Amino acid sequence: MRRRSRNKTSKNSYFPCELEKLEKDLKDGFFNSSPDFSTKKFEHEDQRILVMFINYMVEKEQIYRHIIELIQQSNEQWDPIMLKNRIPISDGELRTAVKDIGGDLLGGSVAIYIEGQDQCVTYGVPQLKERNPERAETESLIFGPQISFTESMQTNLNIVHWRLDNPSLVTEKFVIGNEIPSEVRLIYLKDIADEENIDEMRRRLNKLQTDDVLESSVLTQYIEDNSYSIFPQFYVTELPDRFCYEIKEGKLGVLVDKSSSGVIAPTNFFSFFESTEDLYTRWNMGSFIRIMRLIAMFLSVTLTPFYVAALTFHYEIIPTALMVSLGHSRSRVPFPPLLEALILEFLIELIREAGARLPTKVGQTMGIVGGIVIGQAVVQAGFTSNILIIIVALSALASFTVPSYLMGSAIRIMRFPLIIMAGLWGFIGIFYSYSFILIHVLRQQSLKRPYFAPIYPMRPKDFDNSIIRIPFLKSNYRAYTNIPKDKKRFEEPPKKKKYDIEDF
C-alpha cells in the first residue's frame, strides 16, 4: 500500500525533472528571463546539482562559503535530506512545487536541486539592508527612551523581546498579501490579554484579502471597525516603549514587516491624548498635561466657530468694549465672517502642510516666516481681522498638543464643517454638530470594545489609566476596559505609618 501511494505521489508531482527544465520554468514563470537570476551547475561522478539564487537578494558570501565550497569539495552522493542536515546556514525547507521554490527565491533564499530527486531544498539567506534604531521623529519625547522602530521586522521583534522579557510573550505570524506577501506579527502576553480580543484580531487578519500591505497605518484601515469614521480606532506608534507598555496593560500589538511603526488595539478615544512621557514625569504633572490636552482639543474645535457664530448671528454676547475693537478690526474686511474664517483656516493648513513636506530646517523656517509674513500681509490687505488671526493661531497651536498625528489631523479637519455650520445657523448649528460628533463617538468601537470608555460606559476606576494619573503605588489595577485576565499589576503595599514631627 505504501509503495502504491509513493508511486502515485511521484507521478503527480513536478519532480523529478531535468535541471534545464527546472531552470527554464523558473525563469519564464517568475523572473521573466531576468539577468539577476543566477544558476550554477555542478557535476561529479553520476550526479548533477543546480544552485539557484537572485543576485541582489542574497548574501553571496554565505552561499559560496557554506554551499558551493561544500558541494565542490565533497565526493559524496548527495540527497535532499543530507543537504538539509549538512549545510550550516539555517533551517532548510523541502519543496516539491515550482511555485514554492519561486516564492522562496523572491524572498531571499537559495535553492538547491539534485537531478532525479523528488524534492528541492531552499535556505533563507536574505541580504538585509536596514537602518539602525534612531530617535523618534513624529512622537518626540523629552524624558524616557528615545529609540524608535525601524523597517526591519527582526530588529523590531528584538526590541520588543528586549523590553518585554516575559515567558508569556506570544508572537503569532501571519502572511498577508496576494501579490506581494508581507509578514505580520500579532504580539501579546497570554497571561494578561483577553482571549476574545485575541480571537477577534486573529480573525480579522486571517480574513483580510488584499494585494499587499504597504504599512502599519494601511493595515489599520483594512481591519478597523468603522472605515468611514474620521477618528482613528487603532493607535499607530513608532515608540517601542509605548508599544510595550500597552501590551503589559493587556492590549494587543501588531507589527508589519517593512514598517517603522506598530499598531495597538483595542484603543479608546482618550488613549490618543496620552503619552508615555506622562508616566516619566510626576503624577500631578502628568495629570495636568493630560487635562490640558483635552481642553486644548475642545478649544481647537470651538474658538473659530464661536467667532463666526457670534459675528454672524449673536452680537449680543460680545462685550461692548470688545465690540468696538472688533468693529474697527473688521472695518476693511470685505468678506462675511464665514468666508473670512474659511480662507484663513485654509491658509494655516496650507502653511502647515508645506512645512511638513519640506526638509526639517527649511520647513521650520517656512512655518515661522510664512506665518508671520502672510498673517501680516492679509491683515494689511484687508482680507481678515487681527482678532481672527489670533483665534486661528490659538486653534492651530491647540491642535498640535495631541500626541497622535492621526487624532490631531482629525481635529483640524473637524473645524471646517463646524465653521460652516456656525456660519449658517449660529450657535444652534454648533451645538447640533457637537451632538452629532458625540453620538458618533459613543457609537464607535475598537476591536468591538467601547471607544469612549471610561466615560461611556462609565467606569470611574479606569480614570487613572486614561484621563488622569495617580501615584504608581496607588495604581495597582489594570484598566477594566481592556478586560485583562490578570487585573492586578501588583499587590497593594501596606500603608505607611504616619509620624508626628515630635517623634523625631
Side-chain angles (χ1 to χ4, degrees), residues 19 39-44 47-52 67 71-72 74 76-79 83 111-115:
L19 301 186
T39 60
K40 294 187 179 297
K41 297 176 185 176
F42 303 93
E43 296 185 15
H44 63 82
Q47 279 193 325
R48 299 176 69 207
I49 302 175
L50 179 65
V51 179
M52 301 165 286
I67 297 178
I71 294 175
Q72 286 178 334
S74 176
E76 300 181 65
Q77 289 288 316
W78 293 98
D79 61 68
L83 278 173
I112 310 168
Y113 178 62
I114 305 169
E115 191 172 54

Side-chain angles (χ1 to χ4, degrees), residues 317-333:
I317 71 168
I318 303 175
T320 305
L322 184 59
M323 179 68 75
V324 174
S325 177
L326 274 171
H328 178 72
S329 177
R330 283 189 46 80
S331 60
R332 296 178 56 199
V333 178

Side-chain angles (χ1 to χ4, degrees), residues 353-399:
E353 189 66 18
R357 298 292 167 253
L358 289 170
T360 305
K361 294 181 180 179
V362 180
Q364 291 175 352
T365 305
M366 173 66 187
I368 297 171
V369 176
I372 295 173
V373 172
I374 294 177
Q376 186 68 22
V378 294
V379 171
Q380 291 182 352
F383 279 94
T384 185
S385 63
N386 290 322
I387 294 177
L388 183 59
I389 287 279
I390 297 172
I391 290 174
V392 171
L394 287 175
S395 299
L397 287 174
S399 67

